[in-house]
Every structure is written in structure tokens, then in C-alpha cells.
Amino acid sequence: MAKWGMVIDLDKCTGCQACTTACSMENNRLPGENWQDVLFYHEGTYPNVKLMWFPRPCMHCENPSCVSVCPTKATYKDPHGGFVLMDWNRCIGCKYCQVACPYGVRFYVDEKAPVQPDIRTVFPSADGRVWDPPYRGPQDDPGRGIGIQPHGVVSKCTFCYHRVSKAPAGIADLDEDIPALKEYVPACVRTCAPKARFFGDLDNPESTVNKLIADKSGVRLKDETGNKPQVYYLSGGAAASVPSLRSMTPSDPA
Amino acid sequence: MNTVKTKQTGILSVALIGFLVSAGLVLDNLAQYGHAALNTNNLGISWGFPIVVYDYFLLTSTGLAMLASLAIVFGGETFRPVIKRAVWLALAGLAGGVAVLFLELGHPLRALWAIPFSFAFSSPLYWKVMCVSFYVLSLLILMARMLKSHWTIAELRINGIVTLVLALGVTSIAGVVYGSQSFRPFWASGDIPIAFIFESLLGGLAFIFFFTYLAYAFNPAALPTGVKRLFTGPLPRLLALAIFVHLLFVLARMASGLYGNLEGLQVWHHVATSPLFYAEILLGLVLPLVLLMRPGTRNNPWVQMLASFLVMNALLVSRYEYILGGQLVPMFKGAWAPALLSYFPSPTEWLMLLIAIFLSNTFNALGELFLGLSSEGDPSARVEPEPLGAQWGEGGERLAS
Ligand code: SF4
Ligand code: SF4
Ligand code: SF4
């Protein structure tokens, strides 16, 4: 079975937020509650200051702290593909997973609206969900945290499970440039204009994602946490690079 | 009806009305705005004041249970006058804390089945909930056995040991919930469970002083001889010792936090310069410590009331700083949060504190009125305590017993 992973080439990312918008449309996100976000920040002080940005989905960690802390097993690691998913029928909204995620990619649905007007009151839901958007994606799978979420639960990026899980078995890469595969590609990857995002099987040595990680010294965010993200970042690509882990561990021998 | 009973009825009425009013207001706010009535957010403040209140009442409860069970297992007859009250207060405090937790959770009723049947062995919260369930059961059994007019410390011993183990379990797992968050260095440390245990004990001691005086309508002359003996004997010394140990934990964490370079510890510069922190340390801990260490003031009932009240407040502040402090530093640059996150409890969150206070006091007053918390069991079953040190000779040698 595949272990899906994403590679984001920071040298190509323009910070255009097309991925954020595509994810929001695909997954009916509430405005401002972006499963995928590009975080802008600055380095240095005036006059030597630089505007920078950083695209960030859920890392679908190999060793996810959100999963290990969840007291109800509402958040779980799918053994078929390595997706970290949510079961909205089990979640009690304790937010322990949010506290335990080092990447800040989880959202409690009932917080104050970060963007006004509060779209939840503009398009109220009649069926117990958080809102009823005028355009609503067809997919609805509360057991995997897909669709319009109910009240009182946490939500997160699904690695577009509803697309990726339908891909033909044995595929090494889900590349939007291959017409037969494009429907299975995560929305944020498919929309990325400069092709900074790649999606493929990390367990397949022939996959483009694996080659990119090897060739351009892919690194994982905050690797010191031990969460082992399945999202890798490329930057530079020189052979001399910053080691990601302090020491080798049995599950990560290299 | 005697004066004390009349005053307890007054406390019950005030607490019940206070509970109904605060609960009504909170439920109305939650019905209107949902959890948006709280000031938590998706930028990084996931656990706000309601969790502070819940943890405060939970840890106070386990502190009282530890006090009662330590008294049963090791303390003997000297501590008999406070055992029953400590057990009931532990249950009353827990009720207040759990009520607030239920208002904070997204699906409190689902939690009742989803947690026990999840068998989520990797989650500290799973173990905490399981442990709390058995802890409540153990406290109820203990209380039930003390309701009869004849009870001896010896017959409660096994119950006492079980309660002690469960109270220590709940408290240390509560510590692990925070202490295991290794990427939040303000929280994470292997000794947090130990710090929680001492903090709980301190809370338990402060609460037993305050609520015993309250039971006698703050009239020191009304205290029975056994209580007076305890309050002028080992208990104020224990309270002083517990304050000292807690102070050491806080100051030691502050020192390593201020000097540490680890990302996330920067929050100590914010915490340690806030007026709230100074109030907690100087007014809430140092002042009571000094008052309780001075032989001239230690046994003064009014000093003990003041000291316990100050400590109770200091512990709430301490819990607030700890839980919020671990979340104020954004995870990394660019989380739409360029500096320290800010948080202040909303009116609904303050009202939740009142819910916990009033509900606990309602239960406590009911206990005082109907469960005879001041009764010490059958006096004929009592063994007069040996004076402290009686079993030791002049030169410190152990005398044959
Ligand atoms: S990034 Fe956070 S939410 Fe996503 S799998 Fe890792 S720990 Fe869980
Ligand atoms: S909020 Fe839901 S998914 Fe997160 S830890 Fe609690 S029960 Fe699990
Ligand atoms: S993989 Fe899908 S759900 Fe995740 S960030 Fe991309 S578009 Fe959003």
C-alpha cells in the first residue's frame, strides 16, 4: 500500500495562495480557517529586511502526536495510504490534538469567525452542520473528516482523501500533467501554477517525490518533534545541508 | 436550629442562587454564540480559562483526597477531625470542575461513551478520565463508610490506600498531559507530575483550613477541641511546608526559563514581569509563608483564614499562567501571529469560574447540613493521639512501644 507524501519546492513557490484557495473551494472551508495556508513573515530589520512565506498543509505525520493524544481515537492514521484523518462522529472537541500538533494545522469549528461577516450566520445550516455554503462539494464522509463539519469538532486537511484514495493501485506519483490521473491529485497540488507541489508514494523508490527529496535534500518541518512529517520541503539543494534529526532511530534508519 | 446551621443554610441559599444565575447566563450565552462566546482561537490558544478552572478544581480535589487518605494511612487519630470534610470537599470541588469542563467540550455527552470505549491507551487523557472515574468511586465509598456513626481509621485503611493511589494517579497523569508536550518547553518537563502533586497537596491544605473555618461561620471559638488541636499543631506547619515546596518549584522553573535559550521559553520574560505573577508570588505565597512560619502568628485563626484564602487565589493564578503560558508563543514565524499571542477570559469564561465556585459550595453546604461533616465518628472508637515526639527519648533514642 502506498504511503502518500507531498513535496513542496520552496524555490518555486511564489506565495500566490492559489493552493489555499483551491483547498478552500474543494473542501468548503470557512473563510480564514485554512487547512492549507501560506504563512507570510519577515526576516531581518530595516533596511535589511526580507518578506518571506511558507506554504503549510497538515504534515500527515508518520508518528502523529495528534493521533497518540486523542482520547477517543477520533483522529487516526489510515493504514492504507498513511492519511491522518478525523472521525467527526467520535470527536468530543477536547482540542487536545490541536494543543499536541506542532504545526498548528487543526481547527476547532466553533471559534470566533476570523473573517467578518461570520459566514456561518449568513448561510446557516438546517441539518446540524456548521454552515450551508451556496456551493457545496459532493463529497460527504464525516467518518473521515470530509464534507461540511458538524458543530463541536476539530477539522484538518485530509490530503484530499476523497480524491487520492480512488487512484489506481501501484501508482508512484499523482501528477496533474497526466490527464488520466489529474482527478486523483489533491486540489492544492493540482492548482499550483509554478508546479511547486508534488504528490506521490514515499514507499516507492521510483517515485518523483522520492527522487526530489534525495536530489534536493528534502527536509521536514520541526523534525526535532519526532512527528516525522510526510510533507517534505525543498530549498537550495546543495549536498551540504542541515541534518534534520539528532540521531537515527529504528523507524528512520537514514 | 443553631447559629452555625443557620449560617450554613444561608451559604447554601447564596451558593444555589449564584449557581443558578451564573449557569443561566452561561447557557444563554452558549445558546446564542456557541463556543465563540469563549476567547479561545485557532491561532494557538486552544485551552483557555475554562480548562484552567477545571484543572484547578480537579487538582484541588485530588489534593484534598490525598490529604484525607494520607491522614487515614499515616496520620492516625490526630487528623480524624478533617478527614470526612476533606473527602466530601474533594467530591464537591470535582463536581464544580467537571461542570465547567462539560460546558467547554464540543460534545460532552459523547465523551461519556467515546472515551471509555475507545481504549486509546496512548492518550494521557484516556488514562486521566479512567482514573478519575475510579477515583470518584473510591471517594464515594469512603464517604459512605464515614456516614455511619461508628467508623474507625483502621477500617478505612484499605479504602484510604486505594484513594491515595488513585488521587496520585489522576494528579500525575494531569501533569503528563502538559509535561509530555516536548515542543512546548514552557510546559514540558519530566518533573511536572511531581510539581502537580505538591501543588495539589497545597491546594488541599489551603481548602481544608478555609472550609473548616467556613463550616463554623468563621468563628474560631466554635471549633471543636480536636480541630483546634490540629490547627495549632501539625496542620499549619504542613501548610507552610507545602507553600515552600510549591514556591521552590515555581521559582526553579522561572530561573531555568529566564536563562534558557530554548524556543518557547521566551514567554517567561512576559510571565515573570506581569503584575499578576508578582501578586501570586509575594501576596499569594510569600506572605502566607512568612505568617505561618512566625510562631507568633502561625496559630492565629484569622491568620490561617487569610493565609489559606491567599494561597487558594495564588494557585488559580499559577494554573492560569502555566496553562496559558504554554500556548502564548506561536509555533513558528508567520502563523498570522507575529508576536506573543494575547488572551484574556471573556465574560462567559469568568462566569464559568463562578459556576464552579457556586456549584462546589452548594454541594459543600449540603454536606455540612445533611452529612454531618463535623462529626468525627464514634468517640469511643477514638484512640487519644500520642503527643508528637512522645515515642522518642530525650536523647532522640526510640523508646519501646
Ligand atoms: S501535522 Fe499536526 S495534525 Fe497533521 S498529522 Fe502531524 S500532528 Fe497531526
Ligand atoms: S478534539 Fe476530537 S480529534 Fe482532537 S483529541 Fe479531542 S476527541 Fe480527538
Ligand atoms: S491536500 Fe487537499 S485538503 Fe490538504 S491542503 Fe491540499 S487541497 Fe487541502
Side-chain angles (χ1 to χ4, degrees):
Chain A
M1 201 61 215
K3 180 169 89 185
W4 296 111
M6 194 183 287
V7 168
I8 305 178
D9 191 338
L10 297 178
D11 289 341
K12 288 190 186 166
C13 174
T14 60
C16 66
Q17 293 275 31
C19 48
T20 308
T21 314
C23 177
S24 298
M25 294 306 294
E26 177 76 14
N27 295 296
N28 287 122
R29 303 305 313 131
L30 288 165
E33 224 191 74
N34 303 322
W35 284 355
Q36 149 63 44
D37 210 343
V38 180
L39 309 171
F40 286 85
Y41 61 102
H42 70 266
E43 289 283 14
T45 43
Y46 180 83
N48 299 313
V49 70
K50 195 174 170 194
L51 176 68
M52 307 179 90
W53 53 89
F54 180 66
R56 182 205 57 181
C58 164
M59 305 289 145
H60 291 264
C61 306
E62 269 176 59
N63 188 18
S65 44
C66 59
V67 169
S68 59
V69 301
C70 177
T72 63
K73 290 193 178 159
T75 191
Y76 59 97
K77 181 99 177 145
D78 186 333
H80 310 294
F83 305 87
V84 173
L85 298 170
M86 289 281 319
D87 182 347
W88 285 333
N89 297 319
R90 290 190 75 91
C91 178
I92 58 166
C94 67
K95 304 194 250 179
Y96 194 9
C97 53
Q98 251 186 309
V99 167
C101 168
Y103 304 104
V105 295
R106 292 182 154 259
F107 301 88
Y108 183 62
V109 295
D110 292 331
E111 299 294 4
K112 285 191 183 65
V115 175
Q116 293 298 331
D118 186 345
I119 206 87
R120 294 170 296 196
T121 55
V122 179
F123 298 107
S125 162
D127 62 355
R129 307 289 176 104
V130 160
W131 67 314
D132 189 9
Y135 162 76
R136 186 167 171 167
Q139 65 275 7
D140 189 30
D141 188 355
R144 294 194 172 90
I146 295 167
I148 311 291
Q149 60 269 46
H151 285 282
V153 299
V154 162
S155 76
K156 65 178 279 297
C157 150
T158 62
F159 249 12
C160 283
Y161 177 90
H162 58 286
R163 287 168 163 268
V164 176
S165 60
K166 297 193 185 104
I171 291 286
D173 290 285
L174 292 178
D175 187 339
E176 67 278 15
D177 290 339
I178 302 172
L181 293 180
K182 67 179 183 200
E183 288 306 322
Y184 311 120
V185 179
C188 57
V189 176
R190 186 172 167 184
T191 206
C192 180
K195 206 170 169 65
R197 297 171 96 105
F198 302 84
F199 199 83
D201 182 0
L202 293 172
D203 272 352
N204 187 331
E206 299 304 319
S207 64
T208 306
V209 283
N210 264 332
K211 285 182 187 148
L212 285 168
I213 293 165
D215 291 350
K216 291 189 76 179
S217 308
V219 293
R220 303 188 286 199
L221 184 60
K222 283 187 170 286
D223 229 351
E224 75 279 5
T225 61
N227 271 31
K228 300 181 188 298
Q230 284 174 213
V231 173
Y232 286 77
Y233 290 93
L234 309 179
S235 167
S241 73
V242 182
S244 58
L245 280 179
R246 196 192 300 226
S247 62
M248 293 192 293
T249 58
S251 62
D252 187 22
Chain B
M1 210 188 258
N2 62 31
T3 343
V4 169
K5 279 234 162 184
T6 317
K7 291 204 171 151
Q8 279 302 339
T9 315
I11 293 173
L12 175 62
S13 317
V14 171
L16 196 57
I17 293 169
F19 168 66
L20 292 175
V21 171
S22 50
L25 288 170
V26 167
L27 289 176
D28 183 50
N29 283 356
L30 290 179
Q32 274 192 62
Y33 307 106
H35 278 145
L38 315 181
N39 274 353
T40 46
N41 58 46
N42 280 323
L43 283 178
I45 308 289
S46 305
W47 285 346
F49 198 48
I51 295 295
V52 173
V53 172
Y54 159 65
D55 258 1
Y56 173 77
F57 277 83
L58 175 74
L59 293 194
T60 303
S61 166
T62 58
L64 285 156
M66 278 183 231
L67 183 67
S69 47
L70 282 170
I72 290 169
V73 181
F74 301 109
E77 295 298 333
T78 321
F79 290 87
R80 177 189 275 265
V82 293
I83 292 176
K84 195 169 172 187
R85 178 166 289 117
V87 170
W88 183 249
L89 260 180
L91 284 162
L94 190 65
V98 170
V100 170
L101 177 71
F102 270 42
L103 292 168
E104 198 269 352
L105 286 180
H107 288 281
L109 296 180
R110 184 181 293 170
L112 295 177
W113 62 263
I115 297 180
F117 294 110
S118 71
F119 306 110
F121 299 140
S122 65
S123 169
L125 223 48
Y126 167 80
W127 290 111
K128 188 174 165 191
V129 169
M130 298 313 283
C131 216
V132 167
S133 315
F134 288 110
Y135 164 76
V136 171
L137 197 64
S138 181
L139 282 177
L140 285 172
I141 295 173
L142 207 48
M143 193 64 210
R145 299 189 69 181
M146 281 187 288
L147 285 182
K148 47 182 198 173
S149 51
H150 304 277
W151 56 271
T152 62
I153 293 224
E155 71 189 16
L156 297 180
R157 190 148 282 141
I158 300 290
N159 269 133
I161 293 172
V162 172
T163 308
L164 179 60
V165 170
L166 288 168
L168 284 170
V170 171
T171 317
S172 22
I173 298 170
V176 172
V177 167
Y178 300 93
S180 58
Q181 305 288 311
S182 54
F183 60 93
R184 296 183 188 270
F186 185 81
W187 281 353
S189 150
D191 58 12
I192 286 296
I194 311 295
F196 271 41
I197 288 172
F198 281 105
E199 197 173 330
S200 291
L201 262 175
L202 173 57
L205 283 162
F207 268 68
I208 203 64
F209 266 107
F210 188 84
F211 280 91
T212 304
Y213 281 117
L214 180 68
Y216 296 97
F218 295 119
N219 175 13
L223 294 189
T225 326
V227 177
K228 273 187 193 150
R229 193 187 296 135
L230 186 58
F231 280 19
T232 51
L235 217 55
R237 288 180 170 84
L238 277 178
L239 179 59
L241 181 65
I243 296 175
F244 179 70
V245 174
H246 175 63
L247 203 53
L248 277 187
F249 268 108
V250 174
L251 296 180
R253 284 185 54 240
M254 180 192 76
S256 39
L258 286 175
Y259 286 101
N261 268 343
L262 208 55
E263 283 278 303
L265 284 179
Q266 305 94 322
V267 75
W268 268 113
H269 295 275
H270 167 74
V271 171
T273 50
S274 80
L276 208 56
F277 185 73
Y278 280 97
E280 173 205 338
I281 300 293
L282 298 176
L283 277 181
L285 297 172
V286 173
L287 177 63
L289 180 61
V290 171
L291 289 174
L292 291 170
M293 281 175 64
R294 283 188 61 226
T297 47
R298 178 188 306 139
N299 295 337
N300 181 319
W302 296 103
V303 164
Q304 293 180 351
M305 287 177 220
L306 176 71
S308 53
F309 181 72
L310 289 173
V311 168
M312 284 156 63
N313 283 285
L315 287 178
L316 182 63
V317 174
S318 170
R319 196 114 300 271
Y320 178 85
E321 274 162 350
Y322 180 70
I323 294 182
L324 268 303
Q327 301 171 82
L328 288 183
V329 180
M331 273 311 150
F332 41 88
K333 276 189 168 185
W336 302 115
L340 276 189
L341 297 171
S342 62
Y343 171 84
F344 191 75
S346 68
T348 308
E349 289 172 303
W350 283 112
L351 284 167
M352 286 166 135
L353 171 64
L354 293 187
I355 289 183
I357 292 175
F358 286 131
L359 185 61
S360 305
N361 272 286
T362 303
F363 274 111
N364 185 50
L366 283 171
E368 295 286 357
L369 280 170
F370 301 111
L371 300 179
L373 299 186
S374 298
S375 103
E376 298 173 23
D378 181 10
S380 65
R382 292 190 53 171
V383 181
E384 275 307 308
E386 282 181 282
L388 282 177
Q391 60 277 57
W392 300 93
E394 287 289 306
E397 77 282 8
R398 185 98 166 95
L399 296 179
S401 52

